[in-house]
């Protein structure tokens, strides 16, 4: 926090992400209200992230070639425009499920560039030895807003409707835009990637395949993104059908995950750099599967809230440690391309898992689908230990 540029980014994200979580909550609730289908929730998530699956790896080449602040100004402006369009469609009563899908696809196109640019941007703000602290603090703000944003979003939807939440999100992007404009960044050396984009992409992928540590970290994120992490797309159905909750209660369940995730981010930031992060990563894979199993087996709402807190803690601990290890292991001239591999694994495979969870939820029920996600995550934790022991030794 002693770095001025990091402070500007931190507080800009604090405001902007609060609005983003408000929109996520309102959009999920709106989609379920319009369709009454759990599969539709998976479709929205799929549409939001499938462009990441298709474009993210190539976007890493762009991140290595152009100033990251300029790229972030572009993506954040794009997100603001989309939020305002959605607010207008909803306010005028014209919004349909098709509109939600199209706008989610456009949002995903922006995310394909924003995710690797934002993750790589930390190396422009702090030194390599402070990356874990910076990433953990960013996780803290991401998940602190995950507590406030959904709760506030549910309240706003209950009082004024979904359009108000979308409008507030659009306005919130001004904070991060002004923060980026106000930064004083040192001139960075230009990284001249190969002339042909495919050659640059191939260089990054070859390095990723050749390093078992990086390959293991990225592969496990991809697998968990299909089988484990997307269990939260079932929360609207669990909130309304299992516990009889409204939009405010759904926001509360989302906030419960945020509490656990915030604890994870703060504890990692306080702990700072240490050896043996790979072993802690493995432990939290098991802990995540236990948290999701607890949600599936919860006999009452308080137990479900506790299980969501545990799973929120475990997933953010995994992602923060994985992100840090990747950035500390990757060479500087390939950072954008290697980090894009991580964002591709996380954001690109998530939509496939969202469709899977939505389909299972419609056919078997949300509780059974959540149990399947828990069992699959436990199996992945075991397989990751066996397949990629190099990654757990970092």
């Amino acid at each position: 926090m002693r770095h001025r540029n990091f402070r500007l980014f931190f507080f800009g994200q604090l405001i902007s992400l609060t609005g983003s979580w408000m929109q996520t909550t309102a959009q999920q609730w709106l989609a379920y209200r319009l369709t009454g289908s759990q599969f539709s929730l998976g479709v929205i998530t799929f549409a939001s992230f499938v462009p990441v699956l298709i474009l993210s790896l190539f976007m890493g080449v762009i991140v290595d070639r152009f100033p990251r602040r300029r790229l972030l100004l572009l993506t954040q402006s794009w997100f603001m425009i989309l939020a305002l369009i959605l607010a207008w469609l909803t306010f005028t009563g014209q919004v349909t499920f098709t509109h939600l899908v199209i706008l989610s696809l456009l949002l995903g196109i922006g995310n394909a560039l924003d995710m690797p640019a934002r993750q790589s941007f930390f190396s422009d703000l702090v030194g390599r030895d402070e990356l874990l602290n910076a990433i953990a603090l960013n996780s803290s703000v991401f998940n602190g807003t995950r507590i406030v944003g959904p709760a506030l979003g549910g309240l706003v939807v209950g009082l004024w409707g979904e359009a108000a939440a979308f409008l507030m999100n659009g306005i919130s992007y001004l904070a991060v835009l002004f923060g980026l404009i106000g930064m004083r960044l040192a001139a960075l050396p230009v990284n001249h990637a190969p002339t042909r984009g495919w050659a640059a992409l191939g260089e990054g992928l070859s390095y990723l395949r050749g390093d078992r540590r990086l390959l293991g970290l990225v592969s496990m994120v991809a697998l968990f993104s299909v089988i484990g992490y997307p269990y939260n797309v079932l929360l609207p159905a669990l909130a309304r059908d299992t516990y009889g909750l409204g939009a405010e209660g759904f926001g509360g369940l989302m906030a419960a995950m945020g509490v656990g995730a915030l604890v994870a981010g703060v504890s990692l930031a306080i702990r700072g750099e240490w050896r043996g992060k790979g072993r802690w990563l493995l432990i939290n894979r098991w802990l995540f599967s236990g948290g999701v199993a607890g949600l599936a087996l919860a006999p009452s709402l308080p137990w479900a809230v506790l299980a969501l807190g545990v799973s929120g803690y475990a997933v953010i601990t995994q992602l923060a440690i994985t992100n840090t290890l990747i950035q500390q292991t990757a060479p500087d001239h390939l950072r954008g391309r290697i980090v894009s591999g991580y964002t591709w694994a996380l954001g690109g495979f998530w939509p496939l898992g969202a469709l899977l969870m939505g389909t299972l939820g419609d056919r078997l029920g949300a509780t059974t689908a959540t149990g399947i996600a828990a069992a699959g995550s436990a199996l992945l934790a075991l397989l990751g230990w066996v397949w990629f022991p190099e990654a757990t030794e970092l």
Side-chain angles (χ1 to χ4, degrees), residues 356-371:
L356 175 63
M357 287 296 109
T359 302
L360 290 175
D362 268 345
R363 294 186 177 182
L364 305 175
T367 301
T368 301
T370 304

Side-chain angles (χ1 to χ4, degrees), residues 165-322:
F166 302 147
L167 176 61
M168 291 179 184
N169 178 45
I171 296 172
S172 74
Y173 283 107
L174 293 174
V176 71
L177 289 171
F178 286 138
L180 289 166
I181 292 170
M183 290 180 185
R184 294 194 292 266
L185 294 173
L188 298 174
V190 178
N191 185 16
H192 295 288
T195 302
R196 294 191 311 165
W198 287 112
L201 177 59
E203 182 184 7
L205 291 177
S206 295
Y207 190 93
L208 182 60
R209 287 195 304 267
D211 192 312
R212 289 281 300 174
R213 300 167 301 172
L214 290 172
L215 182 62
L217 292 169
V218 171
S219 297
M220 293 310 298
V221 168
L223 291 172
F224 269 95
S225 294
V226 172
I227 296 175
Y229 299 155
Y231 80 96
N232 61 0
V233 304
L234 302 169
L235 283 183
L238 287 171
R240 194 178 78 172
D241 302 335
T242 303
Y243 298 110
L245 302 174
E248 297 89 342
F250 167 53
L253 292 181
M254 293 280 287
M257 285 194 301
V259 170
L262 177 62
V263 171
V266 171
S267 61
L268 287 172
I270 292 174
R271 187 172 184 180
E273 182 64 28
W274 85 94
R275 296 181 63 85
K277 291 189 287 293
R279 289 189 294 274
W280 190 235
L281 174 62
L282 179 61
I283 290 170
N284 275 274
R285 288 173 182 165
W286 289 105
L287 183 61
F288 171 74
S289 64
V292 179
L295 177 63
L297 299 173
S300 62
L301 181 59
W303 284 104
V305 170
L306 177 61
L308 285 167
V310 171
S311 63
Y313 173 90
V315 70
I316 294 305
T317 298
Q318 289 180 63
L319 295 179
I321 291 177
T322 299

